[in-house]
Amino acid sequence: MGLTGLHLPDAIRVHARERGTSAALVCSDRTIHYADLHTRTNRLARALLSAAPAGSRIGFLARTRTEAAEIMTATAKAGLVAVPLNWRLAVPELTAVAHDAELRILLVEPEFRAAADAACASLPGLRLVVIGTSHDPDVPAYEDWLAAHPDDDPGRGGAADADEVFLQIYTSGTTGTPKGVLLTHGNFFADGTELEEYLWDAESVALNALPMFHIGGLGWLRVALTAGAASLMVPDFMPEAVAEAIDRAGVTHAFLVPSVLHLLTGLPDIDRRDFSRLRLITYGSAPITPALLRRSMTVFGCHFMGKYGLTEGGGTVTQLPPHDHASDGPAMRLLTSVGKPRRGVDVVIADVVTGRPVPAGTPGEIRVRSRHNTPGYWKRPAETAELYDADGLLRTGDGGYLDEDGYLYLTDRIKDMIVSGGENVYPAEVEAVLAEHPAVAEAAVVAVPDPVWGEAVTAVVVLRHGVARPTEQELIDFTRPRIASYKKPRHVHVVEALPRNPGGKVLKRELRTAFM
């Protein structure tokens, strides 16, 4: 299949015209073909524009299902900005994001209606649309809303709109305060070379079990749809169901985070599955151990491609292609790297103090120049200015080094961010919640290696004198209603005092070492 780089809306238009009866989206027992996807997203674009002017922020609270793909495509066609909301956040967190984004419309699954109602209560003028059945006469149902609007294409989102923002993805900063990362059509553009690297053909079926509020899930969907593949959407991740889908549904491509690979390769019947049609597994979003990677290569027997990137970088910064995945011999050392910069991306390792480039083999901060880099954060000029250095390089906050051959190796993070199961967790946010407990005097949160989640959120607390001593579980339970479940500590350790340097800063490296 000859693949040409296109912006997402143009790709849907071309596929609808040239291969309209081919499957575009599959979820449970429902299949939407490219011609239907084009028509439906035209209707949705017109429905959205009937209620919000171009440039408005359109939120959605939905799992990995066909409607999420339609919303992203329709907003792009309409000149609107899609704001995928993390349904794992607590209600106060979601409400704060809705306020910051100044949402005009929120499309929501019934499961998340309570959070949506809370956002509406504090954000006058926010209009709800229910993905499914609506029992409220003032809140339209998604399908009814589409059917009430024409299917003429608004025509936006092509090459002429390359500099137009169409995605606003929220990610927390080092303080835990969510910031909207702006991405343009040009940032999100997949060229022909990138598409060819994935080994797509006319029969490709791409498994998407990643959340639609992550750059990984959205980026994987964008690549598959641009290539004209069928995207198998998995709303609820269960290891057995994913293994069954790969086995029975003819999956040829998948993007899986390391924690998922760990769960899949540990299934008792995994060796009896038929993975002969599986062509490529892309992995990323969190560090992977060489042992897990080798085990996965053995179990699935297909090509593997590693990815390193970040939301602010538009997704992928570097990649380790299939030919660099040797399971033995001297080349096996590359399995500890995250590959080389993708085409059109420059990676510089900068001294963390001076900002000057350092020689090969010397660790420093990873900085990036790329057309995929975000133009900045939504309404946060100071943070946007801090994101880029004087040379226009994006500061990733991650530590690493380049070897003599140009392969990138990650080291310690410059920031204290924790990556647990592919989710970003910022210690300051968890520390702030624990500090609210009446028995906690101080709290420090660090990452401890975990065989399943990559890193486990681990809290070290100092208790107040003269109060009843809470159990570890009581402290964990205290965080549950206040922050998303994946952010809560998996372990809590009580100490007499936190280690500090002469300046009073907590020595988190010592804590990580002590509780590994």
Side-chain angles (χ1 to χ4, degrees):
M1 171 167 71
L3 298 172
T4 303
L6 292 169
H7 293 87
L8 178 61
D10 280 347
I12 300 303
R13 292 165 181 137
V14 169
H15 296 319
R17 182 174 65 248
E18 297 182 354
R19 45 199 311 272
T21 58
S22 297
L25 302 168
V26 181
C27 187
S28 299
D29 58 351
R30 184 184 193 190
T31 298
I32 297 176
H33 300 91
Y34 273 100
D36 294 331
L37 178 61
H38 181 48
T39 300
R40 287 175 59 81
T41 52
N42 288 344
R43 290 186 183 279
L44 179 55
R46 288 299 177 187
L48 293 168
L49 286 171
S50 72
S56 296
R57 270 54 188 170
I58 309 300
F60 65 93
L61 263 173
R63 295 184 183 271
T64 306
R65 50 188 294 161
T66 59
E67 289 87 354
E70 290 178 342
I71 293 165
M72 183 174 74
T73 304
T75 51
K77 285 182 171 184
L80 298 162
V81 181
V83 183
L85 299 177
N86 183 344
W87 42 263
R88 298 181 69 180
L89 295 178
V91 171
E93 295 172 306
L94 280 169
T95 301
V97 170
H99 268 274
D100 186 80
E102 301 175 3
L103 296 183
R104 295 292 296 270
I105 302 172
L106 177 55
L107 300 103
V108 58
E109 287 188 62
E111 178 182 356
F112 310 123
R113 181 65 187 272
D117 287 342
C120 284
S122 61
L123 192 61
L126 177 60
R127 180 172 184 180
L128 283 189
V129 177
V130 173
I131 301 172
T133 302
S134 175
H135 301 288
D136 184 341
D138 296 324
V139 179
Y142 183 87
E143 292 295 337
D144 294 339
W145 205 43
L146 264 65
H149 289 83
D151 64 1
D152 57 311
D153 188 345
R156 301 291 293 276
D161 300 317
D163 294 331
E164 186 176 90
V165 172
F166 89 107
L167 270 178
Q168 187 166 312
I169 304 175
Y170 274 81
T171 180
S172 296
T174 55
T175 63
T177 303
K179 298 189 294 291
V181 178
L182 304 174
L183 293 175
T184 67
H185 290 284
N187 296 150
F188 224 48
F189 174 70
D191 61 28
T193 300
E194 179 186 2
L195 294 174
E196 292 288 353
E197 290 170 343
Y198 285 96
L199 311 174
W200 301 109
D201 64 22
E203 305 303 319
S204 294
V205 178
L207 176 76
N208 200 333
L210 298 172
M212 288 292 101
F213 51 76
H214 272 184
I215 187 67
L218 294 167
W220 183 239
L221 177 64
R222 177 267 305 183
V223 169
L225 289 176
T226 303
S231 288
L232 178 60
M233 312 291 278
V234 180
D236 299 294
F237 173 79
M238 292 178 287
E240 296 83 0
V242 169
E244 177 75 10
I246 297 174
D247 182 350
R248 304 294 183 188
V251 169
T252 60
H253 295 68
F255 190 131
L256 302 172
V257 298
S259 58
V260 170
L261 286 170
H262 176 88
L263 294 170
L264 289 174
T265 55
L267 291 174
D269 65 342
I270 196 69
D271 293 331
R272 295 194 293 272
R273 295 286 186 181
D274 177 10
F275 300 131
S276 60
R277 288 167 290 184
L278 193 57
R279 189 173 307 135
L280 177 72
I281 289 179
T282 301
Y283 61 93
S285 297
I288 189 169
T289 64
L292 174 57
L293 183 51
R294 289 195 301 272
R295 186 163 74 248
S296 300
M297 291 161 61
T298 299
V299 168
F300 293 106
C302 63
H303 294 297
F304 275 71
M305 181 185 291
K307 297 278 188 178
Y308 160 73
L310 66 164
T311 306
E312 288 88 341
T316 303
V317 170
T318 66
Q319 59 189 35
L320 190 70
H323 61 76
D324 282 332
H325 284 73
S327 57
D328 54 34
M332 190 173 66
R333 66 179 176 82
L334 294 178
L335 298 185
T336 62
S337 82
V338 290
K340 292 183 176 182
R342 66 190 290 194
R343 192 169 71 90
V345 175
D346 294 324
V347 170
V348 174
I349 306 300
D351 183 279
V352 296
V353 176
T354 67
R356 298 191 186 97
V358 299
T362 304
E365 183 184 21
I366 301 167
R367 298 187 181 181
V368 179
R369 178 178 288 108
S370 166
R371 67 170 173 80
H372 302 284
N373 286 350
T374 176
Y377 297 114
W378 166 249
K379 293 193 172 181
R380 291 178 181 266
E383 287 92 337
T384 297
E386 291 175 2
L387 184 61
Y388 288 94
D389 68 13
D391 295 320
L393 293 165
L394 185 147
R395 307 173 192 262
T396 67
D398 292 328
Y401 66 91
L402 291 166
D403 69 12
E404 295 287 350
D405 298 318
Y407 287 89
L408 178 65
Y409 294 78
L410 300 181
T411 56
D412 228 1
R413 291 182 180 84
I414 304 301
K415 302 172 184 176
D416 286 328
M417 185 181 76
I418 300 167
V419 180
S420 183
E423 299 279 9
N424 294 346
V425 181
Y426 291 87
E429 187 177 11
V430 186
E431 290 162 358
V433 170
L434 285 169
E436 295 176 10
H437 192 284
V440 174
E442 290 183 293
V445 172
V446 296
V448 171
D450 185 276
V452 174
W453 305 109
E455 292 178 337
V457 179
T458 302
V460 184
V461 302
V462 177
L463 298 179
R464 299 184 186 278
H465 294 295
V467 299
R469 182 187 179 101
T471 66
E472 175 183 5
Q473 192 59 52
E474 286 172 344
L475 289 171
I476 293 172
D477 289 343
F478 179 79
T479 69
R480 290 181 189 276
R482 293 169 173 81
I483 52 175
S485 178
Y486 66 84
K487 299 178 184 179
K488 70 180 186 296
R490 295 188 179 275
H491 309 286
V492 177
H493 302 280
V494 177
V495 297
E496 290 298 318
L498 298 174
R500 298 179 185 275
N501 67 12
K505 183 178 180 180
V506 175
L507 298 172
K508 290 192 173 182
R509 184 181 295 275
E510 289 190 12
L511 292 176
R512 284 192 289 266
T513 301
F515 295 105
M516 285 180 61

